[in-house]
């Protein structure tokens, strides 16, 4: 249910680190349980939560590892709390089985992945965008998640709130796919007096795991409410009864888990366009890479070059329609990413007949405007 | 199961999936009797389990909130449930492989944190569900699907382990000791803090079969011959205890 | 838009100075961002802060070509002076740095002044900020002082504020020359 609440922080302009803004966004959204395991570059979120949660009557737990973190938060979510954990690549890998479990049991929860340079331990303090595909496909089995990509401290706050709202509304794990730069960046941002939040529907029901519609989201009563919940990560019918060999139940469940996201893309998919009308050179970017792209596009526009930027705020599910619209007139489409080319694969798939040029960077550094300009010049006659 | 316990059960899910001779059904009844005798509010209880035959004891049979989780993780889930709503009575029921192998880390940390949980290990010394592979509680030298020449490793004494980690109440009985087991479960449920009960449960199908113990009676005899009470430990030399099953309440050694 | 790089070694308060500067700009009603970067050594390694101050939303928060470089160590100066725009400005710590050719740069003895006037080994950074504020007028001294009050633990606010004031007053002759 949608409601308007007062912000926890006094409304004004703040100068804050991205990680702290994320934690404050979570608290504002109503997060009252956090479980985590320390890892650079996400630890400030956990440290801040450890101080702030007790102040607002919430619970903070430092668990023995990331597996325990995600599992305990799923347990807490069923006990009725809004829950979050934060980590980085190595911990995110450990959380994948739990993410799959949350998908299957339709448990609202928010996972913040502050991406750092990998694989493995990689460069702990250095940024990357290498977990884009892992976020989408990491958990085994066919499934959907929602992933949002913040590009500023403002969005570390705003999108954390959005992540909670989507997660509660669609009963799906929602990933805030941040990176070391936005996490440690300090900049000014605004806290508004009121925010819109969404609280899950806790109506008592016999069927908390199924709906008549093939894309519906059932209500979610919590433990202790008398719903006699049968929560299981095994295939189950609408009552929660395990059906581990029934093809119809398996099909119906997996279809709904996917369609409840796919059929609500209009609500979930957030993008932003800058000068994309008739853009000959289209930049498609997300997260901190979109900041550099925006700088480039502004500069090109000043030199009368028809460049535009399509920024993905929601990266999963992927908004295909908006991409097609913005790419109509595009001669070249550039996709700068702090990886060897991940989201660009999706773009190439959707625009098979257009010139799509990846701008990869895996130096443990952000993509700077100069990196993008360098590639652009090769294609601009 | 005696009829006065039916109110706790989704009888429509019966018969249970347990094999002939399996001890998990007895354990199910024993747990419910302890709860019944304590007159606990079943609606305010949450049963958390992992993956395995033992994990099926509460889910889907218990007619209250159940959380059937990932293999090895029920204690972590239960920690979240309890911390988020301390008014709920949270009980973990899962297998030896689940709690002590893949989930061993969660078990020791929950004991150390003294989270207010009761953890009941349905310990059949084997991976029952996946076809009888070695578990960390398989007795030394006995045979499993992955130790056909006999288990060369030492088994965990889970009670000793959990006690050493700070658990407030720890006990072990077999499913053949229903009376003391019910009493122990009641004590555990009344314990303020972390409590742990290791319940030796026979698995003739996956464990007995490979160790010339194909029937429940064989398993019973095998288990009975190995029993030593915690209070009688002093009478034995260390070597003599190697193959024993220690039952009773594990108290602080002085 | 003004792009500023502050650089020095770990322990000189470079990251804090960058944040105080950006925070002060916010108090002045501007948009601002700061990215701090520590070297690999925990203490004594190269430390840099990238600060941008702008009237509207800051696109890229990275400082590639800087308008202003504030350098407190030779290593930082050597690494970044060539990235300063030719129309730009460099303020460097004169007791630590042998400068190279650059059209507009000033030697500021911030560390010595901190020692002699404030008996402090750590407020060279604030003295530099004071000097910066006077010569560039990009942030107000008042906001810098408020920024210190909001971000520095009360034990150290006084000495940091004095640092800013001395920096603001003391080098006006140098800048005129
Ligand atoms: C991550 C993971 N690894 C392996 C399995 C397969 N698996 C299912 S149950 C089980 C062992 C169960 O043994 P135990 O916990 O002792 O329960 P029992 O069946 O003996 O009662 C295993 C290995 C799994 N489900 N998940
Ligand atoms: Mg077992």
């Amino acid at each position: 249910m949608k409601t308007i609440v007062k912000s926890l922080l006094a409304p004004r302009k703040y100068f804050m680190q991205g990680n702290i803004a994320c934690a404050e966004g979570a608290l504002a959204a109503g997060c009252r349980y956090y479980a985590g395991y320390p890892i650079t570059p996400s630890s400030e979120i956990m440290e801040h939560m450890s101080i702030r949660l007790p102040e607002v009557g919430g619970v903070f737990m430092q668990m023995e590892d990331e597996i325990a973190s995600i599992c305990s938060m799923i347990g807490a979510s069923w006990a009725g709390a809004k829950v979050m954990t934060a980590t980085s690549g190595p911990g995110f890998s450990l959380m994948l089985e739990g993410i799959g479990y949350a998908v299957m049991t339709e448990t609202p929860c928010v996972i913040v992945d502050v991406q750092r340079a990998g694989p493995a331990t990689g460069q702990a303090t250095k940024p990357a965008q290498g977990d884009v595909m892992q976020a989408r496909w990491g958990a085994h089995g066919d499934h959907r998640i929602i992933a949002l990509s913040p590009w500023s401290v403002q969005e570390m706050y705003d999108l954390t709130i959005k992540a909670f709202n989507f997660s509660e509304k669609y009963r799906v794990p929602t990933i805030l796919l941040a990176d070391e730069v936005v996490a440690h960046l300090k900049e000014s941002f605004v806290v508004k007096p009121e925010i819109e939040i969404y609280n899950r529907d806790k109506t008592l029901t016999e069927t908390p795991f199924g709906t008549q519609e093939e894309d519906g989201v059932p209500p979610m009563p919590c433990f202790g409410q008398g719903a006699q919940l049968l929560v299981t990560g095994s295939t189950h019918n609408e009552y929660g009864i395990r059906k581990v060999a029934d093809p119809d139940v398996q099909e119906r469940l997996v279809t709904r888990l996917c369609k409840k996201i796919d059929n609500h893309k209009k609500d979930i998919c957030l993008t932003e366009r800058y000068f994309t009308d008739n853009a000959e050179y289209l930049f498609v970017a997300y997260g901190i890479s979109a900041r550099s792209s925006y700088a480039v596009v502004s500069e090109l526009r000043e030199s009368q070059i028809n460049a535009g930027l399509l920024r993905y705020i929601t990266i999963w599910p992927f908004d295909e329609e908006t991409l097609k619209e913005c790419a109509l007139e595009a001669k070249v489409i550039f996709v700068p990413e702090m990886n060897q080319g991940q989201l660009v694969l999706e773009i190439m798939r959707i625009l098979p007949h257009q010139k799509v040029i990846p701008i990869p960077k895996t130096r443990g550094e952000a993509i700077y405007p100069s990196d993008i300009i360098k590639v652009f010049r090769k294609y601009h006659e | 199961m005696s009829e006065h316990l039916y109110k706790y059960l989704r009888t429509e899910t019966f018969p249970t999936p347990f094999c002939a001779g399996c001890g998990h059904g007895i354990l199910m009844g024993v747990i419910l009797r302890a709860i019944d005798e304590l007159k606990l509010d079943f609606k305010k209880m949450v049963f958390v389990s992992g993956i395995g035959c033992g994990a099926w004891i509460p889910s889907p049979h218990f007619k209250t909130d159940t959380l059937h989780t990932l293999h090895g993780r029920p204690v972590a889930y239960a920690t979240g449930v309890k911390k988020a709503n301390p008014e709920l009575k949270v009980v973990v029921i899962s297998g030896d492989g689940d709690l002590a192998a893949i989930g061993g880390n969660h078990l020791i940390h929950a004991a150390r944190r003294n989270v207010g949980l009761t953890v009941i290990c349905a310990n059949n010394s084997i991976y029952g569900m996946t076809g009888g592979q070695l578990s960390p509680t398989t007795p030394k030298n006995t045979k499993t699907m992955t130790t056909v020449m006999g288990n060369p490793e030492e088994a965990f004494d889970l009670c000793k382990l959990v006690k050493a980690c700070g658990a407030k109440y720890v006990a072990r009985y077999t499913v053949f000791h229903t009376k003391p087991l019910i009493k122990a479960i009641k004590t555990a449920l009344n314990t303020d803090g972390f409590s742990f009960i290791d319940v030796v449960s026979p698995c003739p199908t996956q464990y007995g079969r490979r160790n010339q113990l194909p029937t429940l009676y064989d398993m019973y005899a095998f288990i009975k011959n190995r029993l030593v009470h915690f209070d009688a430990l002093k009478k034995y030399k260390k070597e003599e205890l190697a193959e024993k099953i220690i039952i009773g309440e594990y108290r602080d050694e002085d | 838009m003004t792009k500023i790089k502050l650089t020095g070694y770990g322990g000189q308060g470079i990251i804090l100075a960058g944040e105080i500067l950006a925070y002060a700009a916010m108090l002045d009603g501007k948009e601002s961002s700061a990215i701090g970067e520590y070297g690999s050594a925990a203490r004594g390694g190269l430390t840099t802060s990238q600060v941008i101050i702008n009237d509207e939303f800051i696109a890229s928060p990275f400082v590639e070509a800087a308008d202003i470089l504030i350098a407190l160590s030779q290593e930082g100066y050597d690494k970044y002076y060539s990235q300063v725009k030719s129309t730009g400005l460099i303020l460097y710590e004169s007791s630590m740095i042998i400068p190279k050719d650059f059209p507009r740069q000033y030697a500021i003895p911030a560390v010595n002044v901190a020692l002699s006037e404030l008996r402090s080994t750590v407020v060279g950074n604030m003295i530099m900020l004071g000097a910066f504020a006077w010569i560039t007028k990009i942030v107000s001294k008042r906001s810098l002082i408020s920024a210190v009050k909001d971000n520095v633990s009360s034990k150290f606010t006084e000495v940091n504020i004095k640092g800013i004031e001395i920096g603001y007053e003391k080098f006006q002759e140098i800048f005129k020359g």
Side-chain angles (χ1 to χ4, degrees), chain A residues 97, chain B residues 24 51-54 71 95-98 102 124 126-130:
Chain A
E97 198 194 9
Chain B
H24 289 2
I51 297 292
C53 304
H71 187 36
D96 44 303
D98 192 90
I102 184 166
N124 53 9
I126 197 80
Y127 282 21
M129 178 169 278
T130 44

Side-chain angles (χ1 to χ4, degrees), chain C residues 20 49 57 72 84 90 93 95 131 133-134 145-146 148 152 157 161 170-171:
Chain C
I20 296 284
S49 178
F57 177 69
L72 271 76
V84 182
I90 298 177
E93 166 53 53
S95 67
W134 192 85
I145 288 169
S146 304
V148 168
V152 176
T157 40
I161 290 170
K170 190 147 184 108
F171 309 109

Side-chain angles (χ1 to χ4, degrees), chain A residues 42 48 87 153 301 347 349 358 361 373:
Chain A
S42 75
H48 194 69
T87 187
V153 172
R301 280 278 159 178
I347 292 158
R349 178 182 71 74
K361 187 172 181 187
I373 286 282

Side-chain angles (χ1 to χ4, degrees), chain C residues 109-124 127:
Chain C
V111 170
N112 284 344
V113 171
L115 263 180
S116 60
E117 304 211 1
L118 295 169
R119 294 180 194 288
S120 163
T121 54
V122 292
V123 296
I127 291 179

Side-chain angles (χ1 to χ4, degrees), chain C residues 7-17 37-39 41-48 72-73 96 111 120-126 160:
Chain C
T7 182
Y9 55 76
Q12 285 183 314
I14 295 296
I15 308 268
L16 177 68
E37 204 181 336
Y38 300 90
R43 220 183 145 77
L46 181 71
T47 304
T48 306
L72 271 76
S73 77
M96 307 255 181
V111 170
S120 163
T121 54
V122 292
V123 296
N125 57 351
M126 294 299 139
N160 277 286

